[in-house]
Amino acid sequence: MAGNDKSEDTLMKELQELKLSLEHELKRVTKIIDHLKPEKKEAEQPIEDVQLHTESSDEHDDLFSLVKVLLQKKISKPSYETWFKDVFVSSIENDQMTLVAPNEFARDWLEERYAELIISLLKNINGKDYAIRFIAK
């Protein structure tokens, strides 16, 4: 019986750690979503970029923010900061997601090295097969 109590204590400790981890992730996702609200986007981005968002919606932004959260778990922090920090979704039409990279070099790098990972993450999130198109600002 004493061994059983120990395994129950271990299980309870693991469950409490999982709960804390999930609470942390929820706060992080909420912070990302709050950061991506339309009124903040328009204020933070130059006027030229506003036209890129004409087809975008909160739902699209939320979907890509989830992709970005998952990417942070899949790649190193320096890689994420370098390649994904300033990437945003411009539109999703007919299951094609258009992502805006800060410049042509980043666009090419993302397309060559990360498109398949993003497609896989999107499939895991909502079961849809997306095509990904990258454009430069």
Side-chain angles (χ1 to χ4, degrees), residues 11-27:
L11 178 60
M12 186 57 72
K13 183 178 177 185
E14 289 175 2
L15 288 172
Q16 288 173 339
E17 288 173 1
L18 178 60
K19 179 184 174 193
L20 287 174
S21 175
L22 290 172
E23 287 172 348
H24 174 75
E25 284 301 308
L26 179 60
K27 287 178 185 176

Side-chain angles (χ1 to χ4, degrees), residues 81-99:
E81 291 292 321
T82 300
W83 302 112
F84 288 98
K85 184 178 139 191
D86 297 323
V87 174
F88 59 93
V89 64
S90 172
S91 66
I92 299 177
E93 295 177 8
N94 301 322
D95 294 334
Q96 178 175 342
M97 179 180 280
T98 301
L99 299 174

